[in-house]
Amino acid sequence: MPETSRRGLLFGATAISAGALLTACTSNEPKNAEPAGNSQSAADDKPGKPVTIGFAGPQADHGWLNAINVNAKSRAEKYSEVTLEITEGSNDTAAQIGQVKTLINKKVDVLVILPADGKALTQVGLEAMRAGIPVVNLDRIFASPQAYRCWVGGDNYGMGLNAGHYIGEQLKGKADAKVVELAGIDNLELTKQRSQGFADALKNYSNIKLVARQAADFTVESGQAKMAQLLQAQKQFDALWNHDDDQGVGALRAIQQAGRDEFIMVGGAGAKSAMDAIKADNGVLKATVLYPPTMAASAIDLARALGQNKGIDGLSEMEIPTSLTLYSAVVTKDNIDQYLPTGFN
């Protein structure tokens, strides 16, 4: 699953908000970049100079990670002047470092890297930047800001915050409301951030109490097993927040097997299976909080702009920003048609 410990400025699911306050990078500019005063016009959909983008990500062993690859490839295909050099994903840090080094040796114009381990790949990010190849660091952040030109990723704290506010609003008229949480892998920073955001949101509702929490492993099997334990321990509750829609498939199985339907469920990430269930509106799952894999498409947009020495259309700045954080929208039956095309398998 995606991991990030940095929360920057808001970044929409598919486009940058022109009104956002964005700061251009100055301290870690690669040596082949043009000075800001010499930048060309903002990037748009019209073909520009040819750009070769190297893309290196982890193994697509989870629906979200596979969607990252799909989004990157489809976005690159949109631009006739963009060539995408994509590596075979790996969760082995040494293998991924080797893949990035190969892309550096090929002298690609820009690198997009979603590291299996941000800290472990920091050095190769620095190597690329020192070689004059701008790096777009995707989601899992490097340990040094000198290792990337721009970071773009999701808002884990915001996921928890928005899930908590949604549940709070649904239960605000109910006395002594009980909520349970099915978290992800507890030793990941992202899980801690999601849980903290959720807890902070619930503090706004004095009638709601978090009565139980279980950590799963972002898999269908773990979701089913841990949800079964929660259901057995809690004979009645009013809402469930599940951090991840993949493990949510298993959680829903456990819920159906137990014959429970007295509560509402909110998912996380934005899988198509969850969105289909929300649209059908015939079960407990009523919403999911996005962690959009469209960030990979946005990373390709940013890499293209960097390769063409351009800024971003709709912003006054002549350089792309240093940090962009996607917004964790809450998807319900009221807006499902808008977000359904972004759902991933």
Side-chain angles (χ1 to χ4, degrees):
M1 273 296 293
E3 180 176 1
T4 174
S5 59
R6 183 183 183 109
R7 294 173 54 242
L9 301 167
L10 293 182
F11 189 78
T14 58
I16 298 172
S17 169
L21 296 176
L22 301 172
T23 304
C25 172
T26 55
S27 62
N28 57 353
E29 187 173 345
K31 61 187 179 184
N32 70 341
E34 294 183 8
N38 294 332
S39 290
Q40 302 171 17
S41 60
D44 54 31
D45 288 346
K46 297 176 182 177
K49 74 174 185 179
V51 178
T52 299
I53 300 172
F55 183 89
Q59 183 179 343
D61 54 1
H62 182 278
W64 187 89
L65 289 170
N66 182 64
I68 284 287
N69 291 337
V70 170
N71 272 272
K73 291 176 183 177
S74 62
R75 196 61 154 202
E77 290 170 357
K78 172 184 174 182
Y79 301 117
S80 61
E81 78 276 27
V82 169
T83 300
L84 188 67
E85 293 271 355
I86 191 165
T87 65
E88 181 178 351
S90 176
N91 289 330
D92 180 271
T93 55
Q96 194 180 24
I97 288 169
Q99 291 168 349
V100 174
K101 285 180 177 289
T102 297
L103 292 171
I104 293 172
N105 291 335
K106 285 184 176 181
K107 294 181 168 51
V108 297
D109 298 304
V110 189
L111 271 168
V112 176
I113 306 173
L114 199 168
D117 183 316
K119 183 177 180 180
L121 267 83
T122 297
Q123 192 58 43
V124 78
L126 287 167
E127 183 179 332
M129 291 289 289
R130 289 165 181 162
I133 301 174
V135 175
V136 178
N137 181 194
L138 184 56
D139 201 47
R140 299 173 184 172
I141 197 165
F142 292 139
S144 169
Q146 296 186 70
Y148 59 88
R149 167 59 181 81
C150 177
W151 175 86
V152 55
D155 186 356
N156 286 293
Y157 179 87
M159 280 185 75
L161 195 69
N162 291 346
H165 280 307
Y166 174 81
I167 288 173
E169 289 303 302
Q170 304 309 303
L171 302 180
K172 64 181 180 181
K174 184 176 180 59
D176 301 320
K178 298 177 181 179
V179 174
V180 299
E181 180 181 359
L182 184 63
I185 302 171
D186 255 346
N187 63 357
L188 295 181
E189 184 64 25
L190 73 93
T191 300
K192 298 173 185 176
Q193 291 174 354
R194 292 179 187 183
S195 288
Q196 186 62 57
F198 190 58
D200 288 349
L202 293 184
K203 291 175 183 176
N204 293 287
Y205 305 92
S206 58
N207 63 309
I208 298 175
K209 182 179 180 180
L210 180 65
V211 296
R213 182 183 182 278
Q214 277 277 8
D217 298 321
F218 294 131
T219 65
V220 173
E221 295 76 16
S222 67
Q224 185 170 354
K226 297 299 185 179
M227 190 68 231
Q229 293 177 20
L230 278 172
L231 291 166
Q232 187 174 14
Q234 302 297 321
K235 300 306 180 185
Q236 186 279 328
F237 54 90
D238 301 291
L240 158 70
W241 182 44
N242 162 56
H243 285 207
D244 175 70
D245 286 334
D246 271 24
Q247 70 184 26
V249 173
L252 284 169
R253 286 179 187 171
I255 291 165
Q256 290 163 0
Q257 289 171 0
R260 299 278 292 273
D261 64 359
E262 81 278 6
F263 56 89
I264 61 170
M265 175 178 173
V266 177
K272 187 177 184 299
S273 61
M275 293 195 186
D276 287 341
I278 292 166
K279 187 175 179 67
D281 195 24
N282 57 6
V284 297
L285 185 57
K286 301 301 182 184
T288 188
V289 187
L290 297 187
Y291 198 89
T294 50
M295 67 176 70
S298 298
I300 296 298
D301 289 339
L302 293 166
R304 173 178 175 259
L306 278 169
Q308 295 176 345
N309 295 310
K310 294 183 177 181
I312 296 173
D313 193 24
L315 293 180
S316 298
E317 286 73 22
M318 292 183 289
E319 298 281 355
I320 73 164
T322 301
S323 177
L324 298 166
T325 303
L326 283 71
Y327 182 68
S328 294
V330 178
V331 178
T332 69
K333 66 178 181 179
D334 295 329
N335 61 3
I336 187 66
D337 290 335
Q338 175 185 352
Y339 289 102
L340 193 57
T342 71
F344 57 87
N345 294 313

